[in-house]
Amino acid sequence: MSDGPARPTAAGALPRPNAIVAVLAFGGIVVSLMQTLVIPIVSQLPKLLDASASDAAWVVTATLLAAAVATPVTGRLGDMYGKRRMLLVSLVMLVIGSVTAALSDSLAPMVVGRALQGLASGVIPLGISIMRDELPAERLGSATAMMSASLGVGGALGLPAAAVIAENFDWHVLFWASAALGAVAAVLVLLLVPRSRVRSGGRFDAVGAVGMAAGLMCLLLAVSKGADWGWGSGRTLGLFAAAVVVLLAWGAFELRVPAPLVDLRTTARRQVLMTNLASIAIGFAMFSMSLVIPQLLQLPAQTGYGLGKSLLTTGLVMAPSGLVMMAVAPFSASLSRARGPKVTLMTGALVVAAGYGLNIVLMDQVWHFVLAPCVISAGIGFTYGAMPTLIMSAVPASETGAANSLNTLMRSIGTSTASAVAGVVLAHLTTRFGPYALPSENGFRTVLALGAGAALLGFLIAAFIPGRGAAAAPAPVAAAGEAKAPGVKA
């Protein structure tokens, strides 16, 4: 195993660049599969775990909170001590969490297992950062776009696969399958991904990590549980207030510490700041589709707007959209090379908005819910391919792990916000169906319109990114050596 970046062979080519890309993308798909794993059994969790519905919701919430905290922390640790090392640690956490959940029959161990699974969410930004260190410049754009698209591919393929398993096997098999895939990914990383010398070394900012974790947990807990607790309740408002106070204090501390967890001065650079703000909007836009289309497909046809399809059919209808994200990755990279990633990001945002506009008009047939998500996902593929390039071209090579992880966190905040906003809209715009109150057709159209609006907001924010946004290039070996702290090994 090489101790530094992949070196030229006698033929003049880098060894195994295709294998590196394939393994890292596979790892991203495995982690994104984990996020959709429980969807087929969410409604059954209270019975399966002998818990109330509100308590069972922690099976989802725990993963969200753990991912929000772990993603920037693992990114920073990767910059300091080796990205491949932290990638392996993340995959091991996924395996341990999956096994814990697979052995669970009650709420507490299941929540622990799902939280451990959430700790693996840094795999995608770490993979992108490894690509910057290891791949030649001409391969980097398409490879990072493909790695970003793995999030959509795993999510789209995970739903039908999980539905098949849940309908035909014991539900524990879902987590045994996740553990097996995580183990395979870890072995492949160990065998085929080289270690890199590009790292910063130094001392880990433990106080900054605790402060950021506390602030993010207050914020995301309020966002994710606000609908259950009441948006005007003392608990929800208290958490929002605590998030503001803690994050402001954390920011002041980070500006004064010599080696901060997040370099806020770098983050405040216009290119990084605007890209991260656009990421929040695009994350909101991406998740709006996931909150509306499965419900419309599964609602009874008697409502007049539902299609009455099974969960498996719903998963199969949604699956092509994930494949489209992967398919557009090379085109995203080509556009970034020709016109700059800023143009790619803006183009993708417009395509996402157009897809939502299409879906608002077309909501009657199954093929409508194949076409519109594919258009939206094509736009997401362009935006997700451009964001890492914009980030990496604006930060030092020794900070790419932390910077990419922070960008991933911004997308997660967008998706969490989308879930909360859509929940409020669909809870207030309802129609009676026998004794039940169901979200109305206008409620679903409103959420789709909000998705389109978020995409257009992302377009406007991206317009303020300076210049073309240069494509990132791998750091030269000399710079990598200078970035390495004495005595630090990958």
Side-chain angles (χ1 to χ4, degrees), residues 11 24 130 133 142 472:
L24 293 175
I130 289 172
D133 295 346
S142 59

Side-chain angles (χ1 to χ4, degrees), residues 419-432:
S419 179
V421 171
V424 171
V425 170
L426 296 179
H428 284 80
L429 298 178
T430 60
T431 186
R432 301 300 302 182

Side-chain angles (χ1 to χ4, degrees), residues 33 160 168 175 190 255 286:
L33 281 170
N168 295 281
F175 297 100
L190 193 62
L255 289 172
M286 182 194 76

Side-chain angles (χ1 to χ4, degrees), residues 28-37 39-40 124 148-164 286-287 289-290 293-294 297 311-327 369-370 373-374 376-378 380 384:
I29 291 172
V30 169
V31 170
S32 57
L33 281 170
M34 173 271 298
Q35 297 176 354
T36 57
L37 199 64
I39 290 178
I124 291 177
S148 294
S150 67
L151 177 64
V153 175
L157 298 182
L159 185 57
V164 169
M286 182 194 76
F287 205 59
M289 168 181 69
S290 303
I293 294 175
L297 286 167
L311 180 63
L312 176 58
T313 301
T314 299
L316 292 173
V317 169
M318 296 291 291
S321 62
L323 300 177
V324 167
M325 280 187 67
M326 185 71 78
F369 295 103
V370 175
C374 283
I376 294 169
S377 294
I380 294 295
Y384 275 25

Side-chain angles (χ1 to χ4, degrees), residues 28-75:
I29 291 172
V30 169
V31 170
S32 57
L33 281 170
M34 173 271 298
Q35 297 176 354
T36 57
L37 199 64
V38 298
I39 290 178
I41 60 171
V42 163
S43 61
Q44 305 172 44
L45 284 174
K47 179 181 177 182
L48 294 173
L49 301 175
D50 191 23
S52 66
S54 60
D55 287 342
W58 282 100
V59 172
V60 177
T61 305
T63 308
L64 168 70
L65 297 178
V69 173
T71 299
V73 170
T74 55

Side-chain angles (χ1 to χ4, degrees), residues 138 262 395 437 483:
E138 64 272 14
V262 177
V395 302

Side-chain angles (χ1 to χ4, degrees), residues 128-151:
I128 291 171
S129 300
I130 289 172
M131 287 175 175
R132 183 186 188 183
D133 295 346
E134 305 300 333
L135 297 180
E138 64 272 14
R139 291 290 309 276
L140 184 58
S142 59
T144 55
M146 185 170 294
M147 187 71 189
S148 294
S150 67
L151 177 64

